[in-house]
Amino acid sequence: MYLPGSLFIVVIVATVFLHKMSLKSVKNTVVDSMKTMVGTVIALGTAVPMVRIFINSGMNGADLMSMPMELATLVANAVGDAWPLVAPFIGALGSFISGSATFSNMMFSLFQFSVADQLQMNEQLVLSLQVLGANAGNMICVLNVVAAASVVGMVGKEGTIIRMTLGPMLFYAIATGGIGWIAIMLL
């Protein structure tokens, strides 16, 4: 029962009994749901392995640093004290690529912590900018847009949805980065 999918199965079974659904009705509902979820399953099926590879890249026979650590070194040298302005955009990029704020945070938390550590910034504040940026990125997250479009009957209009939500996402990330930069400069 610790898996989120288990709860959905319990709800499905309870719904069948509460609404006294016939076998044919249950079958039709499952088929309709599967058709609706095809795009989401494909997007999620590609995002999860990519996240796992990124996170576990440090486990290699060549004793190379993990991708997040290598990137942190590169970025800390390139961006410097302006990092709080950039951190939310890394979180947003992670959500856009991986499919969720949770995966974004899993992928980039070590990266953000490393950059903050190398730049001698407040690590907790930089990590909170990552989380806020990941939440902003959920607005344009391909997985969420595909799922929402399929639910509301807008399949094929995903690009339009992303274009419409890009402005609010950018505003949110810029405002978050600005507030974070001011907070770090005051600490």
Side-chain angles (χ1 to χ4, degrees), residues 140-178:
I140 59 166
C141 166
V142 175
L143 181 65
N144 290 344
V145 171
V146 168
S150 66
V151 168
V152 297
M154 294 183 69
V155 175
K157 300 193 190 270
E158 291 85 358
T160 302
I161 295 169
I162 290 174
R163 278 192 298 280
M164 289 177 67
T165 55
L166 187 60
M169 187 284 298
L170 289 172
F171 174 77
Y172 186 89
I174 290 168
T176 300

Side-chain angles (χ1 to χ4, degrees), residues 72 108-118 123-124 126-127:
F108 289 116
S109 290
L110 177 60
F111 168 70
Q112 297 273 18
F113 186 90
S114 263
V115 171
D117 185 50
Q118 290 178 33
E123 291 93 352
Q124 290 81 14
V126 171
L127 287 173

Side-chain angles (χ1 to χ4, degrees), residues 2 7 12 36 76-77 110 132:
Y2 69 94
L7 183 58
I12 290 167
T36 303
N77 293 332
L110 177 60
L132 289 169

